[in-house]
């Protein structure tokens, strides 16, 4: 669904640098496993969803939040969607999609979609757990499935859906000083959203700014709250 505004050109109205970053000791593999085994009793997601852009019937979906383990440093694997897609064209997202009738649960959906979209085999994936659903402005009720990904995998992007695959250090995304706040009015409704711009290197080795925003940034913010709790 094309947007009526350009999120890259909206001013930053705030930066959450007053919040502490998740300590490095909480981002290691043992700590991540432990966190999902013993969820904090008082933890709730900060962002449950977005104001709706459409009144179409809600659809259930799931995404994989892949934490690629490289030495002692986990990276978040993300995709850039192709520009011609109907929903969220050109945006940065997690691999994922709609729940199919044959999927046993949200985990099955996330694993299937990750294999179909980017060729990530379930043999390299260790599911840690799920987070509460996040409802997008386009009408998807999304279950984020958080998982560790062991190195040695090979990726193969579906050219119809995925324009690029890249990684961002988890520590960068779990530092609120990198969380920017924006506001825009659409259809008479004031909407706020987060962005997490990341200056990285693309597949050709060229410097590039990746603008992570919207639902993806919202789910990453909820992961921050979970790991920081």
């Amino acid at each position: 669904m094309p947007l009526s505004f350009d999120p890259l050109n909206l001013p930053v109205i705030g930066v959450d640098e007053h919040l502490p970053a998740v300590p490095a000791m909480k981002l290691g593999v043992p700590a991540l496993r432990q966190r999902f085994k013993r969820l904090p009793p008082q933890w709730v997601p900060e962002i449950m969803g977005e104001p709706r852009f459409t009144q179409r019937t809600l659809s259930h979906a799931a995404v994989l939040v892949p934490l690629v383990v490289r030495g002692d440093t986990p990276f978040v694997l993300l995709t850039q969607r192709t520009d011609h897609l109907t929903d969220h064209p050109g945006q940065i997202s997690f691999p994922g999609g709609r729940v199919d009738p044959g999927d046993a649960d949200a985990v099955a959906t996330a694993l299937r979609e990750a294999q179909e979209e980017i060729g990530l085999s379930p043999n390299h994936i260790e599911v840690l757990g799920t987070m509460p659903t996040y409802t997008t402005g386009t009408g998807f009720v999304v279950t984020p499935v958080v998982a560790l990904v062991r190195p040695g995998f090979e990726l193969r992007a579906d050219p119809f859906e995925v324009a690029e695959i890249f990684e961002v250090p988890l520590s960068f995304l779990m530092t609120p000083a990198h969380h920017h706040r924006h506001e825009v009015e659409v259809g008479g409704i004031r909407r706020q959203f987060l962005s997490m711009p990341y200056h990285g290197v693309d597949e050709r080795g060229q410097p590039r700014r990746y603008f992570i925003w919207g639902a993806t940034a919202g789910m990453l913010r909820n992961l921050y709250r979970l790991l920081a709790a």
Side-chain angles (χ1 to χ4, degrees):
M1 175 178 294
L3 293 173
S4 60
F5 61 93
D6 183 356
L8 280 76
N9 291 326
L10 291 176
V12 175
I13 63 172
V15 179
D16 288 349
E17 55 192 0
H18 62 286
L19 294 173
V22 176
M25 61 182 299
K26 288 190 174 184
L27 300 180
V29 170
L32 291 170
R33 288 189 179 119
Q34 189 68 12
R35 172 52 78 207
F36 278 88
K37 284 181 181 177
R38 297 182 180 178
L39 297 178
Q42 297 180 338
W43 176 78
V44 293
E46 178 179 339
I47 309 172
M48 298 296 295
E50 308 159 352
R52 296 283 301 279
F53 287 103
T54 174
Q55 295 305 309
R56 71 182 183 187
T57 303
L58 291 172
S59 298
H60 287 274
V63 296
L64 189 69
V65 183
L67 307 180
V68 180
V69 181
R70 301 194 184 280
D72 296 328
T73 305
F75 291 78
V76 180
L77 188 152
L78 294 163
T79 70
Q80 179 98 39
R81 294 168 63 81
T82 50
D83 291 332
H84 63 263
L85 295 176
T86 302
D87 295 304
H88 308 282
Q91 295 184 24
I92 289 172
S93 67
F94 300 111
R98 297 174 189 262
V99 172
D100 277 357
D103 294 337
D105 51 24
V107 171
T109 299
L111 295 178
R112 175 183 55 75
E113 286 283 345
Q115 189 162 28
E116 292 175 358
E117 283 187 16
I118 61 173
L120 181 58
S121 170
N123 295 332
H124 288 272
I125 297 173
E126 175 190 340
V127 174
L128 296 178
T130 63
M131 294 197 299
T133 60
Y134 182 104
T135 303
T136 71
T138 50
F140 290 97
V141 182
V142 182
T143 299
V145 178
V146 183
L148 298 175
V149 182
R150 295 185 298 276
F153 56 86
E154 294 184 4
L155 299 181
R156 184 187 65 262
D158 177 350
F160 181 81
E161 294 191 53
V162 178
E164 186 179 351
I165 305 169
F166 64 99
E167 297 179 8
V168 180
L170 179 61
S171 58
F172 176 90
L173 297 169
M174 296 298 102
T175 300
H178 302 143
H179 298 184
H180 299 175
R181 293 187 175 274
H182 307 263
E183 188 174 72
V184 64
E185 183 172 324
V186 179
I189 300 175
R190 301 296 298 180
R191 300 169 186 267
Q192 293 189 354
F193 64 88
L194 289 169
S195 73
M196 301 170 185
Y198 174 67
H199 293 271
V201 178
D202 66 17
E203 295 172 326
R204 295 169 295 180
Q206 299 299 312
R208 181 178 167 187
R209 178 176 182 256
Y210 293 94
F211 193 74
I212 305 164
W213 73 286
T216 302
M219 286 182 270
L220 285 168
R221 178 59 170 237
N222 289 342
L223 180 61
Y224 162 77
R225 289 297 189 186
L226 171 59
L227 299 182

